[in-house]
Amino acid sequence: GSYATVDIMLPKVDNVVTVPRTAVAPSLYGDIVYVLEKGGINKRDKKPYQIAKQKFVKVGDTIDNKIIITTGLNAGVEVVSVGQLKLQNNSRVRINNSIQ
């Protein structure tokens, strides 16, 4: 029936790469993140697209809704955080950040 307040001191971790938890997709061969690279202009509708590249990563700890990536991903790259089930390596992607 007693309650206590506990503070846990964890070691400080500097310079880590994190991605949203939803960006990491499990596969038979390991965890995958899709990275967006420069594409081109679609000939039919003249709108730009990007290319989704599959990257295998090793994940570390989870902080809130973010996962630390220990290997396989560099800082500053753009990753896909939703819709990975629809993607394959080298898929064309058009970003739609509108909320529906």
Side-chain angles (χ1 to χ4, degrees):
S2 299
Y3 293 95
T5 301
V6 177
D7 291 326
I8 299 173
M9 302 301 288
L10 297 174
K12 185 177 180 184
V13 180
D14 290 327
N15 300 323
V16 295
V17 176
T18 63
V19 295
R21 201 183 283 189
T22 58
V24 179
S27 80
L28 293 174
Y29 306 106
D31 294 319
I32 296 172
V33 172
Y34 282 98
V35 175
L36 296 179
E37 296 182 356
K38 184 176 175 159
I41 303 292
N42 191 330
K43 292 178 182 177
R44 280 186 281 159
D45 61 8
K46 307 292 187 231
K47 293 185 179 179
Y49 65 87
Q50 292 176 298
I51 303 294
K53 296 286 186 169
Q54 193 179 61
K55 301 285 183 183
F56 286 96
V57 296
K58 294 206 185 271
V59 297
D61 294 332
T62 302
I63 304 168
D64 295 327
N65 61 350
K66 301 229 183 243
I67 293 181
I68 295 175
I69 304 296
T70 57
T71 58
L73 198 62
N74 295 326
V77 295
E78 193 170 14
V79 298
V80 176
S81 61
V82 293
Q84 294 92 327
L85 292 176
K86 300 175 185 177
L87 294 178
Q88 298 176 15
N89 201 22
N90 296 316
S91 293
R92 288 183 178 191
V93 175
R94 186 173 303 139
I95 297 173
N96 181 359
N97 286 329
S98 65
I99 298 173
Q100 297 181 7

